[in-house]
Amino acid sequence: MTLVPALRRASVLAFLFLGASAAQASVAFHVTVTTERVNKPGVKTSLPARETQDSDVVLGEHFISVRDGHTLSVLDFATRRRYMIDTAASTYDTYSLFDVAGSRAAELGHRQGIAGMLKVSGLEQHATPPVYEEQALSVLDNKRRGPLLPQVLDGAVLWSLDGQPLLRLEIAGSPVSGDEADAFAQWLRYTWGGHPAVLKMLADGKRIPAAFTLHHQQIAGKVARHFRISAMTAGAPATYALSAYRPRPLAADAPVLERVLAQAALLPPLEPGAHPALRAEAEKLFAADQPFEAFLTMLEDHFSTGALVEKLTPQQQLAMQACQPIHDLTRALLAKDKEGMQAALATVQGLRQQYGLAQPVLALFEGTLRARLGQRQAAMALYLQVLQARPQMAAAYQDLGDALYAQFDAPNAWRSWDAGRALAPGLRQFRKVNDLERDLLRDYPAFFDGGAPLPLKDQPSTSRPASSTKTVGSTNLP
């Protein structure tokens, strides 16, 4: 297969991409993927034994786009964002690029846990070989692996790792630049998976194969995905625009989670007077001999603006030292073991009964304790309650994101974390997610190759939940 000078599939680009004004052009191609499944005897599944999917791909200088029917996915490596565009409705959703690597890392740990339980139960033979988990997720499980070994076939080479066949690579293909080969491997990584060693070999080969097959194994049986590349075109425009589309509007029947996070995406930055106003409210409560309510107001100030409690008068300090509810609450929040946290939960619930169930800081603390006890759905309900009443309480977005991430909802987790960081980027509660992103960049750098990233503060924070949406990097994986 050779490159052709004219774009055979002009519709791939005309509705989205601008004129070719960037320094480097792109490569476009059509891909047909045929998936064949051979299940183990006795396995029942709703997945078809054979299915085919067609899509059009553009490998840009700092982006990759994939069109499948009315769905257009764009990965933007310069901003570390990804967009899901509904071309029929002319709307789009936006997500963080971090959620893909984050979800893959979490899923690998989950699958390793399943394999461990099967081994303990004496059912190790039913576990998926680790190299196939790496093949499905494009992440390594830190086990020592041998080299990829080739077996020459008629017109193809079968590449295996640790005795497991991973890739059948046809000999025919088109030479491309190193950057274009890297982008090809990146497209495969995000949309269909591929073992990191396989993806590196494809990138190092500096060509796009005409046909190849990825082999998978899973608990249900074996899966083979046959790829055929056609209509490959050089010189496609190297940039894109979202100007023809608008953010997807909130549905009338949207769940509370989507409503809260959609609202967060539209919030303006906190005004400079937010901290003085809350502190003035605390001063009034101190003057009214209500030190516990003043303490809660100062905590709300910190959770919303990041401001520290300071400049308490001696009288205010004495009032807080003499306030038993403050001692009860702080002692409860220091609980470590399960029994202590259950007692702490009862304490906070009692305080909420006394000072009002709508009190946002106490509701947030109850959610935190419920999350630590594994009651994540109840915790999320409390976080959402708080954010409906106090949409600018940044710390609550951190806790909500943590609960979502623990339930393998990485897209919504980053949506929540991004919303909170946009409100109060310096809040110490966000150190954990900042560290997580640094770890992902360090441990899975290949997921972020393809462009110089913008500083975090300049990245857009709006996104939509992906629980019921076909999303790049998730739906095609075994």
Side-chain angles (χ1 to χ4, degrees), residues 181-408:
D182 288 341
F184 179 80
Q186 191 72 292
W187 159 72
L188 201 57
R189 174 179 289 106
Y190 270 88
T191 54
W192 296 100
H195 194 282
V198 166
L199 297 175
K200 184 179 186 305
M201 182 187 66
L202 289 173
D204 291 344
K206 294 185 180 181
R207 74 184 187 99
I208 294 179
F212 60 97
T213 298
L214 288 178
H215 295 281
H216 300 270
Q217 283 188 29
Q218 48 193 245
I219 293 177
K222 295 183 178 181
V223 177
R225 287 206 167 92
H226 308 286
F227 295 76
R228 187 160 296 278
I229 308 295
S230 61
M232 190 165 164
T233 305
T239 187
Y240 73 93
L242 293 172
S243 57
Y245 308 96
R246 59 192 174 91
R248 180 167 60 88
L250 190 67
D253 59 348
V256 175
L257 174 63
E258 185 169 352
R259 289 184 177 278
V260 165
L261 296 183
Q263 173 184 251
L266 301 175
L267 288 174
L270 283 174
E271 297 181 358
H275 165 57
L278 284 167
R279 185 54 192 266
E281 177 63 25
E283 294 293 334
K284 291 179 182 178
L285 291 167
F286 274 123
D289 196 23
Q290 296 178 292
F292 186 61
E293 291 88 334
F295 177 63
L296 295 176
T297 300
M298 289 187 292
L299 287 175
E300 181 180 343
D301 182 14
H302 172 66
F303 292 155
S304 301
T305 70
L308 299 176
V309 177
E310 57 185 0
K311 296 182 180 179
L312 292 174
T313 68
Q315 293 81 5
Q316 291 170 346
Q317 294 180 40
L318 288 173
M320 291 179 63
Q321 291 170 5
C323 181
Q324 189 59 45
I326 292 178
H327 291 294
D328 293 340
L329 178 60
T330 54
R331 188 183 309 111
L333 296 176
L334 293 174
K336 300 296 183 184
D337 57 21
K338 183 176 181 180
E339 183 178 351
M341 286 187 286
Q342 289 173 334
L345 178 60
T347 296
V348 173
Q349 288 175 321
L351 291 170
R352 290 189 69 204
Q353 290 291 335
Q354 183 177 352
Y355 290 92
L357 293 176
Q359 211 295 321
V361 172
L362 291 176
L364 182 64
F365 285 150
E366 180 176 343
T368 299
L369 287 166
R370 287 188 177 277
R372 292 169 64 188
L373 287 166
Q375 302 170 18
R376 295 193 183 96
Q377 290 297 325
M380 283 182 55
L382 286 162
Y383 300 148
L384 292 172
Q385 173 189 321
V386 170
L387 288 169
Q388 285 176 291
R390 297 289 195 278
Q392 290 187 315
M393 189 181 287
Y397 293 104
Q398 168 68 42
D399 290 341
L400 177 60
D402 288 351
L404 290 164
Y405 192 55
Q407 296 176 84
F408 297 96

Side-chain angles (χ1 to χ4, degrees), residues 37 39 42-51 218 220:
R37 298 180 177 88
N39 294 327
V43 172
K44 295 182 179 180
T45 176
S46 60
L47 295 174
R50 181 184 174 90
E51 62 179 332
Q218 48 193 245

Side-chain angles (χ1 to χ4, degrees), residues 68-109:
D68 177 12
H70 291 299
T71 300
L72 179 71
S73 309
V74 179
L75 306 173
D76 189 325
F77 297 97
T79 61
R80 289 180 181 154
R81 306 298 298 178
R82 57 193 184 91
Y83 302 93
M84 297 296 296
I85 301 170
D86 183 336
T87 59
S90 295
T91 60
Y92 68 88
D93 298 331
T94 174
Y95 306 88
S96 171
L97 208 60
F98 280 102
D99 67 47
V100 179
S103 65
R104 302 278 186 92
E107 177 63 20
L108 180 65

Side-chain angles (χ1 to χ4, degrees), residues 40-41 114 123-124 143 159 190 199-200 286 288 305 335 369 410 427 465 469 473:
K40 295 177 181 178
I114 292 175
L123 301 172
E124 187 175 4
K143 298 291 179 60
W159 293 89
Y190 270 88
L199 297 175
K200 184 179 186 305
F286 274 123
T305 70
L369 287 166
L427 195 65
T469 306

